[in-house]
Amino acid sequence: MHMKHSGKFGQFGGQYVPETLMQALQDLEHALEACLADAAFMTEYNRLLNRYVGRPSLLYHAEQLTKKLGGARIYLKREDLNHTGAHKINNVMGQLLLARHMGKRRVIAETGAGQHGVATATGAALFGMECTVFMGEEDIERQKLNVFRMKLLGARVEPVRSGTRTLKDATNEAIREWVRCVEDTYYVIGSVVGPHPYPLMVREFQKVIGEETRSQLLAAEGRLPDLLVACVGGGSNAMGFFHPFLEDGSVRLVGVEAGGCGIGTGRHGAAVAKGKAGVLHGMKTLLLQDEEGQILPAHSVSAGLDYPGVGPEHAHLSETGRVRYESVTNAEALNAFRLLAETEGIIPALESAHAVAYGAKAAPLMDRDTIIVVNLSGRGDKDVHTAAGLLEGEL
Amino acid sequence: MSRIEKVFETKRKSGEKVLIAYLMAGHPTLEASEELVYALERGGAGIIELGVPFSDPLADGPVIQAAAVCALENGTTLRKIFDMVSRIRQKTQVPLVLMAYYNSLLGYGVEAFFDACKIAGIDGVIIPDLPYEEQQEVTPYLVENIPLIPLAAPTSGSRLQKILAHARGFVYCISSLGVTGTQDGFHREVEGFLSQVRAVSDLPLAVGFGIASSQDVRRLAPYVDGIIVGSAIVRKIEETGGNPQAVEALVKELSDS
């Protein structure tokens, strides 16, 4: 663990926040550093992952899908099987333990698809903390199931009506709320975004995905994979999945951004493909923006990828070329959503369906003795309502 | 002596406080903003802060957010704001401070931004999302007599020494946690905080965030050299469609208190 991080990933990252938050970020940095180095803290974290989240998650050999596509052997890292149905809970367990360690009794969070909101509400219920989740009105509409789950878990869901009424503005409101009550409130950021130390911390609490994948695949196949594929909104599942493989030059890493209606249409969420360096939500990173530096609205059928930026470490990894970023359209993601349901009996989250779609495109082009691992970051129950609307008449 | 220093010096000698009035450039229109600058000055504002509209104003509350949306919808850009400032400079020497989020500078180009400030006649720049630790990115481009105005918060604590050591212009003291236009009242230790800043810095102090009434002004004035009023003015501009007389009257009432 190399702590005392500069907070920068190449030219990206940093702490671009109002002065009011600076002391809190520095306190957080120190507390995080101490906890990550504390064996008792890490034992407690791992115990929660094991006994509450249900880790390790399966590394599943998708034989039917492999047979159907003809080409590389496809494995799925089953983050969808975690408690609450996505990878988000890994990070929440770590951050809530940290919040408790720091003596905070109230937590706030932003959410897009609602998975991070549900995970935070879940953890808050378990830890006996008060929880408020900020969620855009448009997302509240398309993720009704998750809104109800959060309320059932005792959280307050605060509808955000400003701007795009999606994840970007939910994050603005959560940061504004944090500025207001920074003295007694812990802000649980759900992705590898925001000011330092959040991108680093969330990666640390998600890298269990890649670590497990590595040892599980070594056990099953006796070798490393040829290609890892994960979807990228802010990019926490991808960062946790890729990080333990960054030094393995033989492993190709592909992050899949939301292509929306096509990245030539202006209606997409492909911040790496189409963004330029800028500052939003406390970080310098690649952002969809106009020439004046105004942030442009993102678009994706999946609420979790509907974000105009990307984590600063992803921006850096795209610049160094270690990770390649591709995009998959709404239509391709929906096809993959059906494909996985029909071939393997697994309904992926629409976010994760982007990664499945890319994997399905890549597999037939690869030899039969090669291995692809797709990170199935979440399950699709929350998206059935949206998908039913879009696939109506086709089923 | 810079225009900002002169204003504080003059007021100090007469035992008065400087009223710093904020408006969002381009709200309701840029033409109206120009007239409103003159109205604010007539009403008694000693320094005028011009907000640069940004799509994601993290430090601002609903009133200023809505003004930014309005300004962006009618096509306000930094280039047009600099043109307006050049026109204003031909008519008045009132100090003008730009308040812009950092991405607006990055979009314009940081070096080009400060050059444009100099040419147009800007007197200071406030970047609410560029804290001390990140300022080395812009310091190479700072131009003489256009200081980066430092912000100090009740939560700054031991940071004050560091962030104010080489500061210029005046210190923008944040009276309350939260965003601009907050209705929650001032921070419980606001007076202690202002005294602490006074002990650390020789610069003039101005206090802002949530100051809306004569009563607020009277409470905080003894601790500072200047009072910043933003959302209350922007709200009046919104309610009156940018009526200069109404805004002048509001500022007059605040500056008389």
Side-chain angles (χ1 to χ4, degrees):
Chain A
M1 183 76 245
H2 315 285
M3 285 307 294
K4 211 61 233 164
H5 192 273
S6 65
K8 301 269 178 174
F9 302 96
Q11 63 157 315
F12 301 108
Q15 294 178 315
Y16 300 87
V17 296
E19 170 60 26
T20 306
L21 292 180
M22 286 303 287
Q23 188 60 49
L25 286 176
Q26 284 165 11
D27 293 346
L28 179 61
E29 215 177 318
H30 293 139
L32 175 68
E33 192 178 348
C35 285
L36 290 177
D38 175 10
F41 179 92
M42 293 310 289
T43 302
E44 175 72 355
Y45 170 62
N46 288 316
R47 195 185 65 86
L48 279 166
L49 290 186
N50 177 235
R51 300 199 194 160
Y52 188 71
V53 174
R55 303 204 72 94
S57 67
L58 292 176
L59 181 69
Y60 169 71
H61 183 192
E63 290 181 74
Q64 302 311 312
L65 186 63
T66 300
K67 204 180 297 171
K68 175 155 183 141
L69 295 170
R73 279 201 296 288
I74 301 175
Y75 281 82
L76 302 175
K77 180 59 174 164
R78 299 289 308 274
E79 292 298 303
D80 60 317
L81 296 178
N82 292 337
H83 179 43
T84 72
H87 69 291
K88 295 290 188 186
I89 191 88
N90 304 328
N91 166 49
V92 165
M93 287 295 124
Q95 288 202 49
L96 290 192
L97 267 183
L98 182 62
R100 191 171 72 182
H101 181 87
M102 294 173 76
K104 308 281 186 181
R105 294 297 312 277
R106 175 173 185 257
V107 298
I108 56 171
E110 83 296 334
T111 198
Q115 289 304 106
H116 175 57
V118 166
T120 306
T122 298
L126 178 69
F127 283 72
M129 291 173 171
E130 189 191 328
C131 176
T132 302
V133 179
F134 291 83
M135 188 170 188
E137 272 191 337
E138 183 173 332
D139 292 337
I140 287 179
E141 185 52 40
R142 54 183 167 174
Q143 306 280 288
K144 282 180 186 154
L145 177 67
N146 276 344
V147 174
F148 182 71
R149 289 167 81 194
M150 286 184 268
K151 289 180 178 168
L152 191 61
L153 290 158
R156 204 159 63 90
V157 178
E158 193 68 48
V160 174
R161 300 186 174 89
S162 56
T164 58
R165 302 184 303 132
T166 60
L167 179 56
K168 171 180 80 92
D169 289 274
T171 307
N172 286 341
E173 283 311 320
I175 295 175
R176 288 182 184 122
E177 172 69 3
W178 197 36
V179 176
R180 192 181 70 78
C181 52
V182 60
E183 291 166 308
D184 66 358
T185 297
Y186 183 95
Y187 178 22
V188 188
I189 295 187
S191 192
V192 285
V193 300
H196 176 67
Y198 282 100
L200 175 79
M201 169 163 65
V202 177
R203 179 194 82 199
E204 288 302 306
F205 290 139
Q206 290 292 3
K207 72 181 186 190
V208 63
I209 303 172
E211 286 168 348
E212 283 176 9
T213 300
R214 188 183 189 97
S215 61
Q216 287 167 322
L217 196 68
L218 284 173
E221 295 272 359
R223 50 166 293 207
L224 292 177
D226 297 280
L227 171 64
L228 296 184
V229 184
C231 64
V232 177
S236 68
N237 89 81
M239 207 57 244
F241 189 44
F242 294 161
H243 191 261
F245 293 93
L246 288 179
E247 306 296 316
D248 301 299
S250 67
V251 181
R252 282 199 297 133
L253 307 172
V254 173
V256 184
E257 297 193 289
C261 303
I263 60 170
T265 64
R267 285 177 53 73
H268 58 78
V272 174
K274 293 289 184 180
K276 62 173 185 159
V279 165
L280 178 72
H281 297 156
M283 60 180 162
K284 184 179 278 183
T285 191
L286 295 172
L287 299 170
L288 300 177
Q289 55 183 318
D290 69 13
E291 282 152 19
E292 296 283 324
Q294 308 297 349
I295 307 303
L296 294 170
H299 164 77
S300 173
V301 67
S302 96
L305 303 185
D306 196 342
Y307 184 68
V310 65
E313 193 168 9
H314 283 295
H316 176 59
L317 291 169
S318 77
E319 220 170 56
T320 66
R322 177 64 188 97
V323 179
R324 217 149 49 86
Y325 294 83
E326 302 282 348
S327 65
V328 153
T329 63
N330 288 343
E332 292 171 315
L334 274 165
N335 283 338
F337 181 79
R338 285 185 70 177
L339 173 69
L340 197 65
E342 288 167 4
T343 55
E344 294 287 349
I346 297 170
I347 301 175
L350 281 175
E351 291 78 9
S352 321
H354 285 71
V356 174
Y358 183 84
K361 275 198 278 191
L365 307 175
M366 294 166 68
D367 290 341
R368 283 167 190 278
D369 59 0
T370 57
I371 299 169
I372 299 178
V373 186
V374 174
N375 194 25
L376 206 66
S377 55
R379 68 178 184 224
D381 308 46
K382 68 182 177 63
D383 295 314
V384 166
H385 182 76
T386 301
L390 293 166
L391 296 172
E392 193 82 55
E394 290 183 35
L395 299 179
Chain B
M1 197 183 275
S2 75
R3 280 186 286 249
I4 289 178
E5 287 165 347
K6 244 181 253 167
V7 166
F8 278 108
E9 180 66 15
T10 310
K11 289 285 184 183
R12 191 183 59 79
K13 281 185 180 151
S14 63
E16 293 174 278
K17 308 297 176 185
V18 177
L19 184 74
I20 302 173
Y22 172 100
L23 60 79
M24 174 62 72
H27 170 242
T29 63
L30 263 183
E31 294 69 34
S33 294
E34 184 176 343
E35 291 308 315
L36 287 164
V37 167
Y38 306 134
L40 292 170
E41 191 187 8
R42 285 195 304 271
I47 296 175
I48 291 161
E49 209 185 303
L50 291 170
V52 176
F54 178 50
S55 54
D56 295 79
L58 264 188
D60 287 303
V63 173
I64 293 180
Q65 284 176 47
V69 169
C70 164
L72 290 174
E73 279 172 355
N74 68 38
T76 305
T77 62
L78 253 176
R79 200 169 303 280
K80 291 179 187 171
I81 293 171
F82 283 129
D83 289 345
M84 175 185 76
V85 170
S86 301
R87 289 195 297 273
I88 293 171
R89 264 293 159 260
Q90 291 171 8
K91 298 191 181 175
T92 168
Q93 293 303 304
V94 68
L96 296 168
V97 172
L98 271 190
M99 174 149 171
Y101 286 87
Y102 190 37
N103 209 48
S104 298
L105 275 75
L106 292 172
Y108 196 89
V110 176
E111 188 171 5
F113 173 86
F114 285 104
D115 288 348
C117 284
K118 190 180 168 78
I119 292 166
I122 287 293
D123 298 283
V125 175
I126 301 172
I127 312 174
D129 57 350
L130 192 71
Y132 175 81
E133 280 76 357
E134 304 292 356
Q135 283 173 7
Q136 72 279 4
E137 284 184 26
V138 306
T139 41
Y141 307 110
L142 288 178
V143 296
E144 209 181 337
N145 278 333
I146 307 183
L148 203 56
I149 307 296
L151 289 117
T155 49
S156 295
S158 59
R159 295 171 46 76
L160 283 177
Q161 214 90 36
K162 175 170 69 178
I163 63 186
L164 299 180
H166 303 290
R168 294 183 298 139
F170 60 92
V171 183
Y172 189 133
C173 302
I174 299 169
S175 66
S176 42
L177 306 185
V179 292
T180 55
T182 177
Q183 313 278 323
D184 289 356
F186 301 127
H187 191 263
R188 59 185 184 280
E189 287 161 16
V190 64
E191 288 91 353
F193 158 63
L194 294 172
S195 306
Q196 196 188 351
V197 180
R198 178 71 85 196
V200 169
S201 177
D202 294 330
L203 290 177
L205 308 190
V207 64
F209 276 50
I211 298 176
S213 67
S214 304
Q215 196 187 346
D216 296 337
V217 173
R218 281 195 297 270
R219 174 170 166 198
L220 297 182
Y223 302 91
V224 294
D225 310 293
I227 298 276
I228 305 163
V229 181
S231 297
I233 291 171
V234 174
R235 192 179 297 115
K236 181 64 77 181
I237 293 172
E238 177 66 29
E239 284 166 5
T240 63
N243 181 314
Q245 287 77 31
V247 172
E248 183 181 336
L250 171 69
V251 174
K252 185 141 191 15
E253 181 195 326
L254 292 168
S255 66
D256 286 346
S257 51

